[in-house]
Amino acid sequence: MDSVSDGSAVRSSKDDDARGDESKKPRTGPITFYKQVVAELRKVVWPTQPQLVTYFIVVMVFVLVMMVLVSLLDLGFGQLVYEIFTTTGE
Amino acid sequence: MLGAFANAFRTPDLRRKLLFVLGVVVIFRLGSQIPSPGVHVDNVQTCLNRIEDQGLYTLINLFSGGALLQLSIFALGIMPYITASIILQLLVVVIPRLELLKKEGQSGQAKITQYTRYLTLALAVLQATGIVALARSRQLLQDCDQPLLHDENSTATFLVMVITMTAGTAVIMWLGELITDRGIGNGMSILIFCQVVATFPASLWAVRQSQGWGTFAIVMAIGLALVAAVIFIEQAQRRIPVQYARRMVGRKMFGGSSTYIPLKVNQAGIIPVIFASSLLYLPAMAAQFNATSDSAWVRWINEHFVQGDHPLYMAVYFSLIIFFTYFYVSITFNPKEIADNMKKYGGFIPGIRAGKPTEDYLSYVLSRITLPGALYLGLISLVPLIAFALIGANQNFPFGGTSILIMVGVALDTVKQIESQLQQRNYEGFLR
């Protein structure tokens, strides 16, 4: 019992930033949680515009190349299968 | 830019990996076109052409890459494997014996993979039986009264077809694992990427045909905007600074550097979306197997879960995505392990003590930053459904957001892996 209270006291006195030890305390309310989420979101590093443009182009190139490749394969194999497996008599 | 692609093919080991992946894709597409034994190809083609305009089967077709309705040997696609791995990952949390196995490390993980494979085969047998039974009773393609099989009453044909499709699923599973092992990227995501990409142009074109150029242009604009939005959020990071203490080992100085732990806003990637949509795909499938029966639950599912624009469907989809995002982040990112590693190498987050407080801080930030990530995944998957419902194109475009998320996510992942391989050889990558 003694050690538990001691541990939590040590932790909370050490750092104001480590609010993670709130799991021991009563649960975080939705409003506090929302505020904390917003606070964390402010620290997020968002991509810059040139980065966004390069990624956009690269992704589009990749997707288009794969799309063309898969479509051509499907057309080719589909035609082939149709030639082989359909009966000409009908 | 194109120089980077050329460099990718100039590097010997990278070239081997890329060609390997492309080869697997070729085999995968070939298998998706070869019909199972006993299928009457003439009639299937005629029927498929007839229903193409109605856009009724797009939901199921999207996830099989068009293979399911053709009754090909790869008809089931990668879906049974994905479903099986979801089920196992959920079970690991629930069943203590599996949890023990997971903690065992390498050998336990191998055992879990083995269980996943068995479960995949069991699911494949189930689905194959359902599909073949449907094809036999001419229920698979509605409004089509021609026989899809050469001999509908033969038990031998039935068995051979089920065995073939199950074997096909096993081959796909193997191909996926081969890509993960010897190629680039995650095999499961690359194969589902191929399935989505295979049906994407056709469904876009269907929008053009049924709604005209105006709607087509709007759909394209929304699609491109979504791609940009997805890239924007996927690249966003919360960087947690880490300092490494300087220390002398013998006569050398070590450490003293400062880096950061990058926590992505969407740490889970696209896996939650794949999980949620493949779970939601199950009731639609079950309803289709029982299409003949007029029982209440089949009607209920058809009403609420087959069309993507029902509010209940959207709500369930949204909450499933949020659940799976938190779930997947919690099983892939282990704050305790990272905190321990940092402690071992003398690293610390400025202002926070090593060990337990660091672990607490990491999970604090992670759980806060995952909420916007989860909401973003859910919204991106839903926005197109709503938008397309407004302009009346939803019939031909179910899972619009899901397919965009899968395509962009897999493309980003794969390109980044190629990039890091290029940088190992000091080539300038795509992304500068």
Side-chain angles (χ1 to χ4, degrees), chain B residues 304-339:
Chain B
H304 295 91
F305 278 99
V306 173
Q307 302 293 336
D309 57 346
H310 195 279
L312 182 70
Y313 176 89
M314 292 192 195
V316 172
Y317 191 38
F318 191 75
S319 27
L320 270 180
I321 287 180
I322 290 184
F323 166 73
F324 275 123
T325 312
Y326 269 96
F327 176 75
Y328 198 69
V329 166
S330 75
I331 60 172
T332 49
F333 189 91
N334 187 354
K336 185 167 170 50
E337 205 179 299
I338 292 188

Side-chain angles (χ1 to χ4, degrees), chain B residues 404-431:
Chain B
I404 286 179
L405 270 174
I406 291 176
M407 284 195 304
V408 176
V410 175
L412 264 180
D413 263 13
T414 316
V415 167
K416 274 190 187 162
Q417 290 209 13
I418 298 176
E419 163 96 356
S420 66
Q421 297 255 342
L422 271 178
Q423 276 173 349
Q424 278 176 10
R425 301 204 138 231
N426 294 328
Y427 283 121
E428 192 167 87
F430 313 89
L431 308 173

Side-chain angles (χ1 to χ4, degrees), chain B residues 5 48 86 122 150 160 183 242 247 275 300-301 339 345 365 382 408:
Chain B
F5 277 101
L48 275 181
I86 305 169
H150 281 295
V160 167
V242 178
R247 53 183 179 170
F275 279 12
W300 191 82
I301 285 181
Y345 294 106
V365 173
L382 284 190
V408 176

Side-chain angles (χ1 to χ4, degrees), chain B residues 167-419:
Chain B
T169 309
V171 172
I172 294 176
M173 181 163 73
W174 181 59
L175 290 178
E177 288 180 1
L178 276 184
I179 291 184
T180 313
D181 277 359
R182 299 177 39 193
I184 290 250
N186 179 323
M188 215 189 267
S189 2
I190 288 195
L191 290 185
I192 200 172
F193 174 84
C194 287
Q195 290 183 2
V196 171
V197 152
T199 37
F200 202 76
S203 57
L204 256 186
W205 194 241
V207 172
R208 217 279 311 154
Q209 278 185 326
S210 57
Q211 314 280 327
W213 284 107
T215 316
F216 179 72
I218 299 176
V219 168
M220 282 300 277
I222 297 179
L224 290 179
L226 277 177
V227 171
V230 171
I231 294 173
F232 185 71
I233 307 241
E234 291 292 331
Q235 291 308 112
Q237 292 173 340
R238 163 79 165 90
R239 294 176 176 171
I240 296 183
V242 178
Q243 283 278 348
Y244 279 92
R246 243 174 232 268
R247 53 183 179 170
M248 296 281 277
V249 177
R251 299 176 60 190
K252 277 195 183 136
M253 278 288 245
F254 282 102
S257 56
S258 71
T259 55
Y260 56 84
I261 303 175
L263 289 181
K264 284 167 69 182
V265 171
N266 175 27
Q267 185 75 16
I270 47 161
I271 303 285
V273 180
I274 297 181
F275 279 12
S277 47
S278 55
L279 268 193
L280 270 185
Y281 164 78
L282 293 179
M285 195 123 176
Q288 233 210 331
F289 290 163
N290 292 292
T292 35
S293 74
D294 203 36
S295 54
W297 70 269
V298 173
R299 237 178 300 132
W300 191 82
I301 285 181
N302 274 329
E303 219 167 274
H304 295 91
F305 278 99
V306 173
Q307 302 293 336
D309 57 346
H310 195 279
L312 182 70
Y313 176 89
M314 292 192 195
V316 172
Y317 191 38
F318 191 75
S319 27
L320 270 180
I321 287 180
I322 290 184
F323 166 73
F324 275 123
T325 312
Y326 269 96
F327 176 75
Y328 198 69
V329 166
S330 75
I331 60 172
T332 49
F333 189 91
N334 187 354
K336 185 167 170 50
E337 205 179 299
I338 292 188
D340 285 350
N341 270 334
M342 268 164 55
K343 197 165 146 190
K344 214 183 286 170
Y345 294 106
F348 60 93
I349 302 170
I352 291 161
R353 298 192 74 182
K356 181 83 171 107
T358 303
E359 182 195 331
D360 287 343
Y361 182 69
L362 283 178
S363 56
Y364 167 86
V365 173
L366 196 65
S367 62
R368 301 304 184 275
I369 211 75
T370 302
L371 182 72
L375 290 178
Y376 136 81
L377 279 181
L379 281 181
I380 291 272
S381 329
L382 284 190
V383 162
L385 286 185
I386 298 166
F388 292 133
L390 288 181
I391 55 174
N394 65 305
Q395 283 269 330
N396 295 315
F397 225 101
F399 281 100
T402 311
S403 37
I404 286 179
L405 270 174
I406 291 176
M407 284 195 304
V408 176
V410 175
L412 264 180
D413 263 13
T414 316
V415 167
K416 274 190 187 162
Q417 290 209 13
I418 298 176
E419 163 96 356

Side-chain angles (χ1 to χ4, degrees), chain A residues 18-69:
Chain A
R19 282 159 294 188
D21 54 342
E22 268 169 1
S23 54
K24 296 265 168 60
K25 294 170 191 167
R27 307 176 117 254
T28 326
I31 298 167
T32 342
F33 190 83
Y34 171 75
K35 278 182 188 155
Q36 289 165 341
V37 166
V38 172
E40 287 300 329
L41 267 187
R42 282 183 199 286
K43 298 181 195 160
V44 166
V45 181
W46 302 98
T48 59
Q49 194 165 349
Q51 270 176 330
L52 200 61
V53 171
T54 18
Y55 275 105
F56 185 80
I57 295 172
V58 167
V59 165
M60 285 318 276
V61 167
F62 184 84
V63 169
L64 284 181
V65 165
M66 288 304 283
M67 212 178 260
V68 168
L69 180 78

